[in-house]
């Protein structure tokens, strides 16, 4: 309600009440004005009322919400379902134009403003969490893998003859499939085993870059956040190599924004070496639904080129989700989540070490990984032998007890991904010495979840001991059908998901 309408309202409800209402409205508008003026993430999160007020104003700026609009185009943001319309706050035009995902839409000033402000706030957030050298970013309505594909396709414009991408091995399908989808052949640099920890083999990386013609290499891809016992890649040393050889460097920082060490290393790599793009997931870092990624760079022109390479308009939903979440949290709210995550990681480490010691296992030493832990399963493997099961069965037992996100790795799995065969797939190494399970302390996790996890882990181990003892005494695994009641249901559930759990989680 503008000033003129408030003056008219005072004649209806009285000047005192109208003035009070005007002051309340001004408190909302002041926050919006500061955001538009500074284009920075608010320090303090906004109330839902302020966010909704702003979103309704933005929607009113799009042509599909004009009171007297007549739409004659093939795309007029007409939405059949009122529920869908309200779910998207009547922002139906998406983001970008057919030639540039970052372009302003003539029919959607409100949606375009929302997208630009989201990118400004995201850049500010990346800088505040440690990536101070990032100068530009773009939010794509694509998850991490396809956003890596877009980055690689953009690099192709400057090196059209390149055939290879040098890739530091990580046993997670997305990045490898992104390389192949973009039309490249990966040159795989295996991890180096140092004690329990898998690390970047810099000697092997140097050898590959020396032996392969520069013009045939599109880029090097490294990874920060990952499952233990793999450590984050040595992105600083790799960036120096890339600078020396004049080869682009892309960092897969999928869930690294929440990890202070990862952000520091990425920023240092930008400072001393070459980093062309850093890709991070929106859902893994910012607690929004799956479907978006942020590509950041020191090079504004490269980010602009990515936006021009993207074909067609794009969904505005992932951008809207991020826009609302950033305004809700503010920088203080997000930093509090990051601090809580760090504390939970330390707590999870302590609790898992106590559990592991009590059952004859150990937490593997992986100081280069600040989000994921690995617990040996050598004792578990022995207990499973009389049952004629591999360690994946232990993972199925946990999953049937509503423990999600853990990975159980046998280290002997052979798997073909994107036409490439791997030994020991899931372990990031051909011959990792022990089977293990992983657990991560990610942003949004609560301390109470750690406690519940360790209790269920302990109960599952105890159940496994009983099953193993019974199988030993009977000379083999007892069939689930021989059980009755709750025991039958529980063991049947373990067996039902066992096959599924042998697949490496993404």
């Amino acid at each position: 309600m503008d000033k003129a309408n408030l003056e008219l309202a005072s004649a209806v409800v009285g000047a005192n009440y109208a003035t009070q209402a005007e002051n309340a409205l001004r408190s909302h508008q002041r926050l919006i004005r500061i955001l538009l003026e500074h284009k920075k993430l608010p320090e303090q999160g906004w109330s839902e009322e302020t966010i909704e007020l702003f979103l309704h104003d933005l929607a009113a700026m799009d042509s599909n919400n004009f009171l007297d609009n007549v739409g004659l185009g093939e795309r007029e943001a007409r939405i059949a379902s009122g529920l869908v319309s309200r779910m998207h706050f009547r922002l139906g035009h998406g983001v970008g134009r057919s030639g540039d995902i970052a372009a302003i839409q003539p029919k959607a000033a409100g949606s375009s403003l929302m997208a630009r402000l989201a990118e400004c706030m995201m850049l500010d957030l990346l800088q505040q969490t440690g990536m101070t050298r990032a100068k530009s970013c773009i939010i794509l309505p694509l998850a991490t893998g396809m956003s890596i594909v877009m980055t690689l396709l953009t690099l192709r414009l400057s090196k059209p003859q390149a055939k290879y991408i040098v890739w530091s091995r990580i046993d997670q399908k997305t990045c490898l499939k992104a390389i192949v989808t973009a039309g490249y052949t990966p040159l795989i640099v295996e991890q180096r085993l140092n004690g329990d920890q898998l690390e970047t083999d810099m000697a092997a990386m140097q050898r590959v870059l020396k032996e392969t013609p520069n013009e045939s290499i599109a880029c090097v891809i490294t990874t920060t956040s990952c499952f233990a016992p793999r450590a984050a890649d040595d992105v600083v040393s790799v960036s120096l190599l890339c600078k020396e050889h004049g080869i682009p460097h892309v960092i897969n920082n999928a869930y690294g924004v929440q990890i202070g060490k990862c952000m520091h290393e990425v920023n240092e790599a930008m400072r001393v070496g070459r980093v062309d793009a850093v890709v991070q997931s929106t859902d893994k870092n910012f607690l929004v639904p799956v479907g978006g990624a942020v590509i950041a760079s020191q090079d504004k022109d490269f980010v602009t080129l990515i936006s021009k390479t993207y074909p067609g308009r794009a969904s505005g939903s992932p951008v809207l989700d991020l826009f609302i979440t950033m305004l809700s949290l503010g920088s203080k709210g997000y930093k509090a989540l990051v601090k809580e995550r760090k504390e939970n990681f330390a707590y999870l480490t302590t609790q898992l070490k106590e559990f592991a010691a009590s059952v004859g296992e150990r937490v593997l030493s992986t100081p280069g990984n600040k989000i994921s832990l690995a617990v040996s399963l050598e004792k578990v493997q022995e207990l499973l032998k009389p049952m004629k099961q591999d360690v994946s069965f232990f993972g199925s037992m946990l999953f049937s007890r509503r423990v999600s996100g853990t990975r159980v790795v046998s280290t002997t799995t052979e798997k073909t991904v994107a036409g490439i065969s791997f030994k020991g797939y899931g372990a990031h190494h051909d011959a990792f010495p022990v089977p293990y399970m992983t657990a991560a302390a990610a942003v949004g996790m609560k301390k109470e979840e750690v406690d519940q996890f360790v209790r269920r882990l302990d109960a599952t181990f105890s159940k496994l001991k009983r099953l193993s003892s019974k199988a030993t005494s009977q000379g083999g695994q007892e069939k689930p059908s021989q059980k009755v009641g709750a025991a039958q249901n529980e063991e049947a559930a373990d067996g039902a998901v066992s096959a599924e759990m042998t697949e490496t989680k993404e």
Side-chain angles (χ1 to χ4, degrees):
M1 188 174 287
D2 60 19
K3 189 173 182 62
N5 283 337
L6 282 167
E7 288 178 357
L8 293 172
S10 67
V12 179
V13 300
N16 289 339
Y17 295 145
T19 300
Q20 184 183 48
E22 182 179 8
N23 290 335
L25 288 171
R26 281 178 178 173
S27 65
H28 294 293
Q29 295 297 338
R30 177 177 174 276
L31 293 174
I32 296 170
R33 185 173 65 253
I34 291 172
L35 175 62
L36 291 170
E37 182 179 351
H38 297 285
K39 303 177 186 65
K40 300 286 186 182
L41 180 67
E43 182 178 7
Q44 195 69 42
W46 288 8
S47 69
E48 291 186 3
E49 290 78 14
T50 302
I51 296 171
E52 288 186 11
L53 179 66
F54 191 27
L55 288 172
H56 285 302
D57 283 349
L58 291 172
M61 296 167 64
D62 285 2
S63 63
N64 59 300
N65 299 310
F66 294 172
L67 293 179
D68 56 353
N69 187 66
V70 177
L72 277 299
E74 82 288 352
R75 181 187 290 112
E76 295 293 343
R78 298 183 178 99
I79 301 174
S81 168
L83 181 61
V84 171
S85 180
R86 292 192 299 276
M87 183 172 70
H88 295 279
F89 289 91
R90 296 179 292 120
L91 295 165
H93 281 285
V95 295
R97 302 184 71 182
S98 58
D100 185 350
I101 195 176
I104 304 300
Q105 290 192 60
K107 291 193 286 189
S111 293
S112 299
L113 178 58
M114 181 270 295
R116 296 295 78 73
L117 289 174
E119 288 174 357
C120 290
M121 288 192 291
M122 177 50 63
L123 181 61
D124 185 33
L125 179 55
L126 292 175
Q127 292 171 343
Q128 288 195 47
T129 49
M131 203 187 297
T132 59
R133 290 185 169 267
K135 302 303 179 189
S136 182
C137 75
I138 185 169
I139 303 168
L140 293 183
L142 301 169
T144 309
M146 287 305 297
S147 292
I148 292 175
V149 171
M150 285 303 307
T151 303
L152 300 181
L153 292 175
T154 303
L155 285 172
R156 188 185 291 281
L157 299 175
S158 60
K159 298 187 77 173
Q161 303 305 316
K163 299 185 295 182
Y164 303 113
I165 288 177
V166 179
W167 175 61
S168 183
R169 176 176 171 178
I170 176 170
D171 287 356
Q172 195 266 354
K173 297 175 187 175
T174 298
C175 194
L176 179 59
K177 291 175 75 173
I179 292 169
V180 174
T181 299
Y184 292 102
T185 299
L187 299 179
I188 303 171
V189 178
E190 296 289 343
Q191 295 286 295
R192 182 175 67 91
L193 184 60
N194 180 13
D196 290 333
Q197 181 166 271
L198 292 166
E199 302 172 345
T200 314
D201 191 334
M202 291 307 303
M205 182 77 70
Q206 173 77 287
R207 188 165 56 252
V208 171
L209 294 183
K210 273 189 174 182
E211 294 174 354
T212 310
N214 183 299
E215 63 275 10
S216 69
I217 300 176
C219 71
V220 175
I221 296 182
T222 54
T223 301
T224 55
S225 52
C226 56
F227 297 117
R230 190 190 191 278
D233 276 320
D234 186 352
V235 294
V236 175
S237 296
V238 174
S239 73
L240 288 168
L241 272 183
C242 289
K243 183 178 180 180
E244 176 188 343
H245 290 272
I247 294 173
H249 180 197
V250 175
I251 298 177
N252 177 10
N253 192 41
Y255 45 103
V257 180
Q258 61 193 284
I259 310 167
K261 179 67 172 176
C262 287
M263 294 297 276
H264 170 77
E265 291 296 301
V266 168
N267 200 60
E268 184 66 7
M270 287 179 163
R271 186 183 73 85
V272 301
R274 176 165 183 174
V275 177
D276 294 75
V278 187
V279 184
Q280 32 271 308
S281 164
T282 56
D283 64 280
K284 290 178 181 176
N285 289 294
F286 308 115
L287 307 179
V288 296
V290 172
V294 179
I295 303 175
S297 179
Q298 291 173 286
D299 186 350
K300 292 182 179 180
D301 291 339
F302 185 69
V303 173
T304 298
L305 194 56
I306 292 174
S307 71
K308 292 181 181 297
T309 303
Y310 190 100
R313 287 174 173 81
S315 169
S317 297
V319 183
L320 178 61
D321 292 340
L322 204 52
F323 180 75
I324 293 171
T325 301
M326 286 190 290
L327 288 177
S328 297
L329 290 173
S331 60
K332 277 189 175 181
Y334 189 72
K335 288 176 181 177
L337 286 172
V338 169
K339 180 175 181 290
E340 180 185 43
R341 189 214 69 80
K342 186 176 181 180
E343 292 169 351
N344 285 338
F345 179 70
Y347 184 62
L348 178 63
T349 302
T350 300
Q351 296 302 104
L352 280 180
K353 283 183 176 180
E354 290 180 5
F355 163 77
S358 72
V359 298
E361 302 284 8
R362 64 189 181 89
V363 174
L364 304 185
S365 177
T366 56
N369 194 315
K370 300 299 183 182
I371 192 168
S372 176
L373 297 164
V375 181
S376 69
L377 293 180
E378 292 175 287
K379 179 68 172 178
V380 168
Q381 190 174 55
E382 288 299 315
L383 290 171
L384 285 163
K385 283 181 180 178
M387 301 167 60
K388 298 181 175 59
Q389 297 281 355
D390 64 20
V391 291
S392 65
F393 188 81
F394 187 69
S396 74
M397 292 179 72
L398 286 170
F399 188 73
S400 67
R401 288 157 179 78
R402 299 180 300 283
V403 174
S404 62
T406 57
R407 300 171 73 245
V408 170
V409 181
S410 71
T411 75
T412 60
T413 301
E414 294 188 10
K415 194 175 186 66
T416 299
V417 180
I420 301 169
S421 297
F422 293 89
K423 294 180 180 179
Y425 191 80
H428 320 287
H429 191 271
D430 284 354
F432 195 78
V434 297
Y436 61 86
M437 64 167 288
T438 67
V443 68
M445 181 189 227
K446 299 300 178 186
K447 184 179 179 182
E448 294 76 15
E449 290 181 271
V450 176
D451 292 331
Q452 291 177 22
F453 165 58
V454 174
R455 283 196 296 269
R456 294 182 191 183
L457 183 60
D458 185 62
T460 303
F461 188 86
S462 297
K463 177 65 179 296
L464 178 62
K465 287 173 67 177
R466 294 195 299 272
L467 290 174
S468 179
S469 176
K470 186 174 293 186
T472 300
S473 66
Q474 295 179 351
Q477 184 185 15
E478 187 174 14
K479 296 179 181 179
S481 60
Q482 294 175 307
K483 295 290 184 180
V484 294
Q488 178 185 6
N489 293 335
E490 187 175 271
E491 290 187 32
D494 292 337
V497 295
S498 180
E500 180 181 343
M501 295 298 292
T502 61
E503 291 291 320
T504 301
K505 289 182 181 177
E506 289 302 297

